[in-house]
Amino acid sequence: MYDPTVARLTYRALLGRRRALILGALPLLLLVIAVAVRALTGADDQTASDVLGGFALATMVPIIGVIAGTGAIGPEIDDGSVVYLLSKPIKRPTIIFTKLIVAIAVTMVFSAVPTLIAGLILNGNGQQVAVAYTIAALVASIAYAALFLLLGTVSRHAVVLGLVYALVWEALFGSLVPGARTLSVQQWSLAVAQKVADGNLVTSDVGLPTATVLLVVVTVLATWYAGQKLRSLTLAGEE
């Protein structure tokens, strides 16, 4: 289910000079914010939770997921180079699964690692805030990568659709409409973080059992359907 050659090509595409600069911009901004906030307010658990929840998990993680998930396959479909890959004797689900692993890894490195560092800067992991949000970022990275890889497979406007979901649905509707929070990767990952953090600094509108089931179901279904769409793309190309 994992092909090293496909993985190497995907890493090369995702970590090219321009895309790497884009991926690194938000983590760098998070660290700058963390240093500035710590210098101005000192170590405060609530402030650390607000920064990590409001910027790292709500904005940085999904945007990086969009870049990594859609970038793992979308450009190849857009410019037609995917035909070369599909002509190789590699199973289509293997291609999707390999690209998913790469997208997850890239999203985790560029989101979870800076989240942990920022949390340690903000309050030294007081009440387990830094670790809790880092775990939330790790969990969210998996679901986001799967969702946005699927978007990259089915639509030429995957980046726009991904940003609409991340910034409009989750950030806007998720904060205004209580029912929308149930269908939010952010809230599912917060349910996991809530179990780790001490006190009531990290909260979620979704229970942990429900969040766990939804995370698994969405990741599996998105990966499976992306594989099916890639098969359809192959058949269309052969015809």
Side-chain angles (χ1 to χ4, degrees):
M1 292 297 293
Y2 182 85
D3 187 275
T5 301
V6 174
R8 185 172 65 253
L9 293 174
T10 307
Y11 275 119
R12 186 179 300 173
L14 285 179
L15 300 178
R17 181 177 300 176
R18 187 177 67 175
R19 199 177 295 272
L21 289 175
I22 297 174
L23 284 169
L26 284 175
L28 180 60
L29 178 59
L30 173 63
L31 296 179
V32 170
I33 291 173
V35 171
V37 170
R38 177 61 186 266
L40 293 173
T41 66
D44 181 77
D45 295 341
Q46 183 62 60
T47 300
S49 181
D50 291 342
V51 172
L52 296 180
F55 182 78
L57 192 62
T59 302
M60 183 185 73
V61 179
I63 289 179
I64 290 176
V66 169
I67 297 171
T70 61
I73 195 169
E76 293 176 303
I77 293 177
D78 290 343
D79 63 19
S81 61
V82 72
V83 175
Y84 172 79
L85 181 61
L86 297 178
S87 67
K88 301 299 179 182
I90 306 173
K91 294 180 179 180
R92 306 309 176 247
T94 298
I95 295 174
I96 289 296
F97 184 77
T98 301
K99 288 182 173 293
L100 174 63
I101 295 299
V102 173
I104 289 173
V106 170
T107 306
M108 285 181 171
V109 168
F110 282 91
S111 61
V113 174
T115 297
L116 176 61
I117 297 173
L120 294 175
I121 292 172
L122 286 164
N123 76 332
N125 196 36
Q127 297 195 52
Q128 295 293 311
V129 168
V131 171
Y133 277 105
T134 299
I135 292 175
L138 290 171
V139 171
S141 295
I142 299 173
Y144 281 133
L147 280 173
F148 298 138
L149 179 65
L150 171 61
L151 282 180
T153 306
V154 302
S155 175
R156 291 181 178 273
H157 307 289
V159 173
V160 174
L161 294 175
L163 290 175
V164 167
Y165 171 80
L167 301 180
V168 177
W169 177 263
E170 291 209 342
L172 181 60
F173 284 95
S175 62
L176 299 176
V177 184
R181 298 171 189 169
T182 306
L183 301 177
S184 166
V185 174
Q186 179 187 341
Q187 289 297 321
W188 303 343
S189 61
L190 279 173
V192 180
Q194 184 178 4
K195 188 70 175 179
V196 177
D198 298 331
N200 298 316
L201 288 175
V202 182
T203 59
S204 173
D205 293 330
V206 183
L208 181 58
T210 301
T212 303
V213 171
L214 289 173
L215 283 166
V216 172
V217 169
V218 165
T219 301
V220 171
L221 286 181
T223 305
W224 172 81
Y225 191 61
Q228 297 304 306
K229 293 301 292 183
L230 197 62
R231 284 180 174 176
S232 300
L233 180 64
T234 306
L235 293 174
E238 291 173 350
E239 292 173 358

